[in-house]
Amino acid sequence: MEHILKGRFGRVVISTYAQLPLKYGSNVTCRRGICSTWTGRTLDRSRPLLKRYQLQQQRQYGMFAVRALRGLLKVRYLLLGGAVGGGVTLQKKYQDWKEGLPDMKWLDEVMPDNDKWKQWRGSLIDFKDNIKDNIEIDPRLKALTEAKYQQFRNWFDQRLDDAIAAAEQTENNHQNGNNKLIKSTSLGEVAEELKSQSTVYTRSAPNEEQIRREAQQRLDAIQEEMMQTQIRYQRELERVEKENKELRKQNLLLRQGRKPSTRQVKRSLIDMYSDVLDELADYDSGYNTADQLPRVVVVGDQSSGKTSVLEMIAQARIFPRGAGEMMTRAPVKVTLSEGPYHVAQFRDSSREFDLTKESDLADLRREVELRMRNSVRGGKTVSSDVISMTVKGPGLQRMVLVDLPGIISTQTTDMAADTRESIKMMSQGYMNNPNAIILCIQDGSVDAERSNVTDIVAQCDPQGKRTIFVLTKVDMAEENLANPDRIRKILSGKLFPMKALGYFAVVTGRGRKDDSIQTIKDYEEQFFRGSKLFKEGLIRSTQVTTRNLSLAVADCFWKMVRETVEQQADAFKATRFNLETEWKNNFPRLREQDRDELFERARSEILDEVVNLSQVSPKQWEDCLLDKIWDKVSNHVFENIYLPAAQTGTQATFDTAVDIKLRQWTEQGLPAKSVESGWETLQSEFDRFMQKAAQATDHDDIFDQLKTAVVTEAMQRHSWEDKASEMLRVIQLNTLEDRSISDKRDWDSAVKFLESSIKHKMKQNEGLLKQMLGPSMKERWLYWRYLSEYQQKCCSVKTELDKILYSDEKHPPLLSFDELTTIRKNLQRSNIEVDSDFIREVWRPIYRQHFLKQSLSRTYDCRKAFYMYHQQMDVECGDVVLFHRIQQMMKVTANALRQQIMNREARRLDKEIKDVLEDYSQDAEKKQKLLTGRRVTLAEDLKRVRQIQEKLEEFIQALNKEK
């Protein structure tokens, strides 16, 4: 009981309690168990009354100033609160707008699954391995190598053709019951046949749109699969041919008692020049730099015979042919040079095709077609990717020619929408080169007014200083034209508005695909020998035959080369000097390293970090694993095992509930969580080593992006062994079944573990309560914080709930209906309306905090209860036993995971990282994306410019020697 007596200068509180908490500076008087407390200022009666009145007035003025200042500060906080409230409202509006957007999850069902692509990739790798295993040829068996190789190639071609025919047969059976067997030896014929079949099928099907899409998807899949298969097959054949050729040569030399010669074969002048052009093309894909060096550009209308002209100059049927169909879909750079054998070879391949054998010619044409179709991506009809090949043979003129797709006037339905413009822009780009020799091909069998190429050539070379005009199919023109004088006007440059250095008439075939080059040459000479145009003197003898055309083009080509190559060498010297100066100014203490060299440095550093995993001590592994495991399972232990069991009431029911829940946990989720903890621990330790290396003084941050990408990719690929979960389940189950604690140290460790776990849980629950109940009284007075309406209700409910817990400390975890009704009625007296769900929501964290405090108190009591427990006396320390069992389970799990990591998983991770590095090393786009910055691009440019300058100087020296 308290009695308060108010006075003018203070107040007196008279309490009947024997003990009262006293404030500093208060006066207490106790008589007969009754104490009075004077909380006001002590009255000094020695001071005059007037002075006391003046002091009181001064205090009132001071209090008025304080109140005014507080009001001003409140206005400031009201303004700040309004701004914050407006921001919250704006954020809520944004969330409402965001939730109103349409659901786009249906795209996940439409897009293809990554697992299918990975499965396809794995099947291709297996196919490659099978080929490697099946085509190994013993080089020591000289008599069998050629026969075995030829037998295997014929067998593989036959099987591939049979597979194509079977696929087409199945497609026909599904479409219209036709049992026709389609046999095709080229990818283009198979694709066209499948297109026609899919078109017929879609027209007769009930659901045309769906069937058409399915047929198109099957067509694309079959076409892509055949293309990739033939490319891989071709590469393997090239590798085997190269190995067999080298081994046969070494075997022959060894049998003769001689050592293999290491002398390099002297390269021809045209080969050196072709290498320069290839380097320039790689250095500048837009041909801005390579434009300064000459090459012969072959242009013409589609089916005008430009490919046939190029084949006559090369003296081999090296290109695929089609009746009225666009066959040239990408630029083909052909380097012609003289040699003892008539062979062809691609720039990026070591296989040589013998052009005197029809089988090799067929393989070459198939390879050209495959490369063209493989270069066409994204629905395009033509591609700007250059296919480079070299043709050598007796009597060939030395020059570099580029065959371009034919210019078209009308697009068909199977072409891309921009095909005509793409071909025109590509042709103009090559012809605008001021040093390009334009070989303009015109079909003589059609009307001159139908020509498209002559106008384009006239725009690119209006003076005709680097254009050579070629009229093809003169035999058909002479047969069809009634006025021979029209051909004479064309060859004299009087019919077309364009100008040229020379005009030539050629015959490149008789319309038969099987004619050889020699047959066509004989036919050409025979035609011009008996031609009326030649006999009547309408054209000169130097203007006819492809041989004269080759000589004229070669002379023009080398004249232009000699005039321009030294200028380009000087230009690259200046470029090299500028780049070296920039490097010295920006990176004076660093060595010039391109992307490949930087990648190798990053590879070694990453592998060093993997090796560092073996230096982690077993104790450090187990400590990290224990922390990670407890972080994973602590919430489950408290929410699903400890709290439900501890709230059952008696010790017997607690032990029974714990045993049941522990077994269920072990059978269901514990092993998987443990494996996940081990995997995350391995990852975190590896990341720790990476971060430690990044903090070193000699760290180079240019590798950071690459290292992160490699480690992330390896972690995604890596997976824990499947049998690890089953092994852990058995170990964990046996450990959790042991309830005995035989050592005082284990008891103390379990008590400490339980105590720290409860404190951590209480700290988390306090944060939840603070968020629910709002700022404390101290924070409200010192920092002017206020309670929201929800927090005010929570505080009012908490006050009522504290009364219930104060009256019954062992209250069950649920509130009864009467208690809920009482709380609501008590709050209604204060005009606070809440429902039962709201009361239960506030009750849960409050009761949990109350229960955890009781558990912590029991834990303190159990510190010295080991001997009572050991003597099997009745002590309420079942929670200590539970946490001892969990602690022992975590120890054996950490030990097993540590052994698994050190013996197996670290090595498997090392293999995954090496595989990722190997994949990235072959992916130029990845290296370009992950190794960026001016330092890298400058080093790349320097390396490339030096290579080009060296090749130019080497070529100039060889050119001067030939003079």
Side-chain angles (χ1 to χ4, degrees):
M1 296 292 295
E2 294 180 356
H3 300 279
I4 303 175
L5 301 179
K6 297 184 179 179
R8 182 177 182 183
F9 299 100
R11 64 178 181 173
V12 177
V13 182
I14 303 174
S15 176
T16 59
Y17 294 101
Q19 295 180 355
L20 286 174
L22 302 179
K23 294 184 178 180
Y24 177 75
S26 62
N27 299 323
V28 181
T29 304
C30 297
R31 293 179 181 177
R32 296 180 182 178
I34 299 177
C35 300
S36 63
T37 303
W38 173 258
T39 59
R41 183 181 298 273
T42 304
L43 185 60
D44 188 3
R45 297 190 179 274
S46 62
R47 197 178 282 183
L49 183 60
L50 181 59
K51 291 184 177 181
R52 290 199 303 270
Y53 179 76
Q54 292 177 352
L55 291 175
Q56 184 179 1
Q57 292 295 326
Q58 292 176 1
R59 286 197 299 270
Q60 291 179 355
Y61 294 148
M63 292 301 296
F64 176 78
V66 171
R67 292 193 188 97
L69 179 61
R70 186 176 66 178
L72 291 176
L73 293 177
K74 283 185 177 180
V75 172
R76 181 186 65 180
Y77 280 99
L78 286 174
L79 293 176
L80 292 176
V84 173
V88 172
T89 304
L90 182 60
Q91 183 180 7
K92 184 177 180 181
K93 289 291 184 181
Y94 169 75
Q95 291 295 334
D96 294 338
W97 173 81
K98 183 178 179 182
E99 292 174 359
L101 291 176
D103 188 11
M104 304 299 289
K105 293 183 178 179
W106 61 272
L107 287 176
D108 298 336
E109 301 177 358
V110 178
M111 299 301 291
D113 190 8
N114 290 334
D115 295 336
K116 295 182 180 179
W117 296 111
K118 293 182 180 178
Q119 183 179 3
W120 170 242
R121 177 177 175 270
S123 63
L124 287 182
I125 294 175
D126 295 338
F127 176 74
K128 175 184 177 182
D129 296 336
N130 291 334
I131 289 182
K132 287 185 176 180
D133 295 336
N134 292 332
I135 62 176
E136 288 293 332
I137 301 176
D138 190 357
R140 295 174 297 180
L141 303 178
K142 180 180 179 182
L144 296 178
T145 50
E146 288 292 333
K148 288 290 184 183
Y149 164 69
Q150 188 65 32
Q151 180 182 359
F152 170 75
R153 188 173 65 177
N154 295 335
W155 172 82
F156 191 92
D157 290 338
Q158 184 63 34
R159 292 297 298 272
L160 183 60
D161 294 337
D162 292 343
I164 296 171
E168 295 171 350
Q169 178 68 22
T170 304
E171 183 71 17
N172 289 335
N173 291 338
H174 282 294
Q175 292 177 2
N176 50 19
N178 186 11
N179 294 324
K180 177 183 176 182
L181 183 64
I182 302 174
K183 293 185 179 180
S184 177
T185 57
S186 68
L187 183 61
E189 296 172 4
V190 174
E192 291 304 320
E193 185 65 26
L194 288 175
K195 284 182 181 179
S196 62
Q197 292 175 1
S198 63
T199 304
V200 174
Y201 182 68
T202 53
R203 290 177 180 176
S204 61
N207 190 351
E208 296 183 357
E209 183 64 24
Q210 181 179 0
I211 300 302
R212 185 186 65 80
R213 289 198 301 266
E214 293 178 357
Q216 186 64 33
Q217 291 176 359
R218 288 196 300 270
L219 170 65
D220 296 339
I222 292 174
Q223 184 175 353
E224 184 69 21
E225 182 178 359
M226 291 177 60
M227 186 183 302
Q228 295 297 332
T229 301
Q230 293 192 25
I231 289 175
R232 289 181 179 273
Y233 167 64
Q234 191 68 32
R235 290 176 179 174
E236 290 298 329
L237 289 180
E238 293 175 2
R239 183 183 65 83
V240 172
E241 282 189 349
K242 181 180 179 181
E243 292 178 356
N244 287 338
K245 181 178 179 181
E246 188 65 26
L247 290 173
R248 286 197 303 269
K249 180 179 179 181
Q250 294 181 5
N251 188 20
L252 180 62
L253 292 176
L254 291 174
R255 286 187 177 184
Q256 295 176 357
R258 293 184 297 170
K259 294 183 178 180
S261 175
T262 59
R263 182 176 59 86
Q264 295 182 352
V265 180
K266 183 179 179 181
R267 294 190 303 164
S268 65
L269 195 63
I270 191 62
D271 289 336
M272 297 169 62
Y273 182 74
S274 179
D275 289 344
V276 171
L277 290 182
D278 290 335
E279 289 289 340
L280 290 173
D282 291 340
Y283 174 72
D284 189 353
S285 59
Y287 290 94
N288 295 328
T289 305
D291 280 350
Q292 306 304 321
L293 290 177
R295 75 193 77 117
V296 181
V297 179
V298 185
V299 296
D301 297 331
Q302 183 177 345
S303 302
S304 61
K306 56 184 182 59
T307 301
S308 300
V309 172
L310 186 57
E311 288 182 337
M312 290 294 293
I313 296 176
Q315 298 183 14
R317 307 296 291 270
I318 59 178
F319 293 105
R321 314 181 73 83
E325 180 189 0
M326 178 184 292
M327 298 304 297
T328 305
R329 298 177 178 269
V332 181
K333 183 172 76 69
V334 182
T335 303
L336 300 178
S337 62
E338 191 173 5
Y341 304 106
H342 202 186
V343 294
Q345 183 179 1
F346 290 98
R347 179 195 173 196
D348 56 354
S349 174
S350 59
R351 181 186 177 185
E352 286 187 350
F353 297 88
D354 190 350
L355 301 183
T356 60
K357 296 181 179 179
E358 188 59 34
S359 60
D360 280 17
L361 277 172
D363 292 343
L364 177 62
R365 290 192 291 267
R366 181 181 301 179
E367 178 72 12
V368 172
E369 183 179 1
L370 283 173
R371 288 173 179 261
M372 283 187 181
R373 293 188 179 273
N374 196 33
S375 65
V376 179
R377 299 290 183 185
K380 298 291 185 180
T381 306
V382 294
S383 170
S384 59
D385 297 338
V386 181
I387 301 173
S388 298
M389 61 186 304
T390 301
V391 178
K392 299 180 181 179
L396 294 182
Q397 300 297 322
R398 302 176 301 172
M399 68 183 83
V400 176
L401 302 100
V402 181
D403 185 23
L404 298 176
I407 297 174
I408 60 176
S409 57
T410 304
Q411 292 182 178
T412 58
T413 56
D414 58 344
M415 293 182 181
D418 60 343
T419 302
R420 180 171 56 186
E421 291 300 322
S422 298
I423 296 175
K424 183 178 179 180
M425 292 179 63
M426 184 189 305
S427 301
Q428 288 178 339
Y430 276 88
M431 289 188 293
N432 284 330
N433 175 4
N435 294 307
I437 301 172
I438 303 174
L439 198 61
C440 179
I441 309 298
Q442 173 64 35
D443 188 353
S445 63
V446 299
D447 296 335
E449 292 78 9
R450 294 167 56 185
S451 176
N452 297 312
V453 68
T454 53
D455 292 339
I456 300 177
V457 172
Q459 294 175 4
C460 297
D461 184 24
Q463 301 299 324
K465 295 182 179 180
R466 49 188 180 86
T467 301
I468 297 177
F469 182 87
V470 181
L471 186 67
T472 60
K473 304 178 184 180
V474 184
D475 53 341
M476 299 176 62
E478 182 179 359
E479 181 180 353
N480 297 332
L481 290 177
N483 184 11
D485 190 58
R486 190 175 180 84
I487 296 179
R488 182 185 63 81
K489 289 183 179 180
I490 294 175
L491 296 179
S492 61
K494 296 180 180 179
L495 185 63
F496 292 110
M498 58 167 287
K499 299 179 181 180
L501 290 174
Y503 297 85
F504 292 86
V506 297
V507 176
T508 57
R510 299 181 297 176
R512 301 175 185 176
K513 297 173 59 176
D514 299 332
D515 285 348
S516 64
I517 294 297
Q518 188 60 42
T519 302
I520 298 174
K521 290 174 64 176
D522 295 340
Y523 172 74
E524 182 184 37
E525 292 178 0
Q526 181 181 0
F527 167 76
F528 282 116
R529 194 178 298 114
S531 173
K532 297 180 181 179
L533 300 173
F534 187 74
K535 287 182 178 180
E536 296 176 1
L538 297 179
I539 56 177
R540 298 188 301 272
S541 59
T542 56
Q543 289 184 280
V544 298
T545 71
T546 52
R547 176 174 177 78
N548 291 332
L549 172 64
S550 300
L551 293 173
V553 173
D555 290 342
C556 183
F557 171 78
W558 283 104
K559 179 181 179 182
M560 192 171 291
V561 167
R562 295 178 188 278
E563 294 175 352
T564 58
V565 67
E566 292 186 358
Q567 298 177 0
Q568 285 305 300
D570 294 337
F572 271 93
K573 285 181 182 179
T575 303
R576 176 178 176 177
F577 175 78
N578 294 334
L579 293 176
E580 288 178 345
T581 303
E582 182 181 355
W583 182 273
K584 291 178 182 178
N585 293 333
N586 296 328
F587 313 103
R589 299 184 179 181
L590 295 177
R591 187 167 60 91
E592 303 162 9
Q593 291 179 313
D594 58 7
R595 282 189 173 89
D596 293 334
E597 294 173 329
L598 291 174
F599 183 84
E600 293 303 322
R601 277 188 56 190
R603 183 206 297 263
S604 62
E605 291 185 8
I606 294 175
L607 295 179
D608 289 343
E609 301 304 329
V610 178
V611 174
N612 289 335
L613 286 175
S614 61
Q615 300 177 2
V616 180
S617 63
K619 184 178 183 306
Q620 184 176 350
W621 275 121
E622 293 188 7
D623 291 342
C624 296
L625 286 167
L626 283 173
D627 294 339
K628 184 63 70 174
I629 293 172
W630 179 242
D631 183 60
K632 286 284 183 182
V633 304
S634 60
N635 189 62
H636 183 87
V637 169
F638 270 93
E639 301 297 334
N640 298 87
I641 300 177
Y642 175 58
L643 293 179
Q647 294 170 4
T648 55
T650 63
Q651 185 66 33
T653 56
F654 173 82
D655 294 338
T656 303
V658 164
D659 291 341
I660 294 174
K661 291 181 180 296
L662 285 178
R663 177 172 286 274
Q664 292 177 349
W665 184 37
T666 308
E667 294 290 344
Q668 296 176 0
L670 179 58
K673 285 291 184 182
S674 302
V675 169
E676 185 178 348
S677 302
W679 170 230
E680 291 182 2
T681 302
L682 176 60
Q683 184 177 0
S684 62
E685 284 298 303
F686 188 76
D687 291 340
R688 185 173 64 85
F689 280 112
M690 298 289 290
Q691 293 175 2
K692 184 178 179 181
Q695 295 173 359
T697 56
D698 57 345
H699 172 68
D700 195 344
D701 57 358
I702 199 171
F703 306 119
D704 291 345
Q705 190 175 359
L706 174 62
K707 289 181 179 180
T708 303
V710 170
V711 174
T712 302
E713 180 73 17
M715 293 296 180
Q716 292 176 353
R717 294 185 184 182
H718 183 72
S719 60
W720 209 275
E721 287 186 339
D722 297 334
K723 60 183 180 181
S725 297
E726 182 63 24
M727 178 189 68
L728 286 177
R729 186 186 67 81
V730 176
I731 295 175
Q732 291 168 345
L733 189 60
N734 294 334
T735 305
L736 289 173
E737 288 180 351
D738 186 9
R739 304 182 183 87
S740 61
I741 305 178
S742 58
D743 194 348
K744 178 71 165 57
R745 289 177 297 179
D746 293 341
W747 181 272
D748 294 339
S749 177
V751 170
K752 184 178 180 181
F753 179 45
L754 175 60
E755 180 182 342
S756 61
S757 301
I758 292 177
K759 288 181 178 179
H760 179 70
K761 209 67 180 177
M762 289 177 62
K763 186 176 181 180
Q764 291 181 346
N765 198 64
E766 286 176 358
L768 180 61
L769 281 173
K770 183 175 179 60
Q771 185 178 1
M772 181 181 292
L773 300 176
S776 62
M777 183 64 69
K778 178 181 178 181
E779 292 174 336
R780 279 182 278 172
W781 277 98
L782 293 180
Y783 304 108
W784 289 10
R785 296 180 180 176
Y786 301 95
L787 298 177
S788 63
E789 183 180 356
Y790 170 79
Q791 291 171 344
Q792 289 176 0
K793 290 182 178 181
C794 290
C795 291
S796 301
V797 174
K798 180 181 181 299
T799 303
E800 298 296 328
L801 294 175
D802 288 341
K803 294 177 182 179
I804 295 176
L805 292 176
Y806 181 77
S807 62
D808 185 7
E809 292 185 354
K810 294 186 178 181
H811 192 283
L814 297 177
L815 292 170
S816 65
F817 178 77
D818 294 338
E819 289 172 335
L820 291 172
T821 304
T822 303
I823 293 173
R824 287 201 308 271
K825 289 183 178 180
N826 291 340
L827 293 176
Q828 286 175 358
R829 295 173 184 173
S830 302
N831 296 324
I832 299 176
E833 292 290 339
V834 293
D835 55 8
S836 299
D837 293 336
F838 187 85
I839 297 174
R840 292 190 187 98
E841 181 183 353
V842 180
W843 163 258
R844 293 189 191 98
I846 292 176
Y847 178 78
R848 173 169 294 189
Q849 195 74 3
H850 172 74
F851 182 82
L852 290 175
K853 288 180 180 179
Q854 290 181 338
S855 299
L856 186 61
S857 178
R858 288 197 306 271
T859 304
Y860 294 152
D861 296 338
C862 290
R863 287 179 178 177
K864 299 180 180 180
F866 172 72
Y867 294 103
M868 297 175 64
Y869 166 81
H870 195 62
Q871 296 297 326
Q872 298 183 353
M873 298 177 65
D874 188 13
V875 291
E876 295 184 357
C877 295
D879 44 3
V880 176
V881 178
L882 168 62
F883 275 78
H884 169 74
R885 295 164 69 180
I886 295 175
Q887 189 178 38
Q888 294 302 114
M889 179 274 298
M890 291 169 52
K891 288 182 179 179
V892 297
T893 302
N895 185 32
L897 291 175
R898 188 261 306 169
Q899 294 179 6
Q900 179 76 8
I901 290 174
M902 298 183 69
N903 297 333
R904 295 284 300 167
E905 299 304 326
R907 297 178 183 176
R908 295 179 66 236
L909 178 61
D910 182 26
K911 182 179 180 301
E912 294 290 348
I913 290 178
K914 289 180 179 178
D915 292 342
V916 174
L917 288 170
E918 185 64 27
D919 293 342
Y920 282 14
S921 65
Q922 305 298 326
D923 194 342
E925 293 182 0
K926 283 282 186 182
K927 289 190 284 188
Q928 186 174 3
K929 179 181 178 181
L930 298 175
L931 293 173
T932 58
R934 182 53 185 166
R935 171 183 164 187
V936 182
T937 56
L938 185 58
E940 290 273 341
D941 292 343
L942 261 174
K943 178 182 178 181
R944 191 62 58 83
V945 167
R946 285 170 179 162
Q947 290 177 350
I948 295 173
Q949 183 188 358
E950 291 173 359
K951 289 183 178 294
L952 280 170
E953 292 177 351
E954 182 183 3
F955 174 73
I956 291 173
Q957 292 178 0
L959 189 64
N960 293 333
K961 288 181 180 179
E962 193 180 65
K963 291 180 181 179

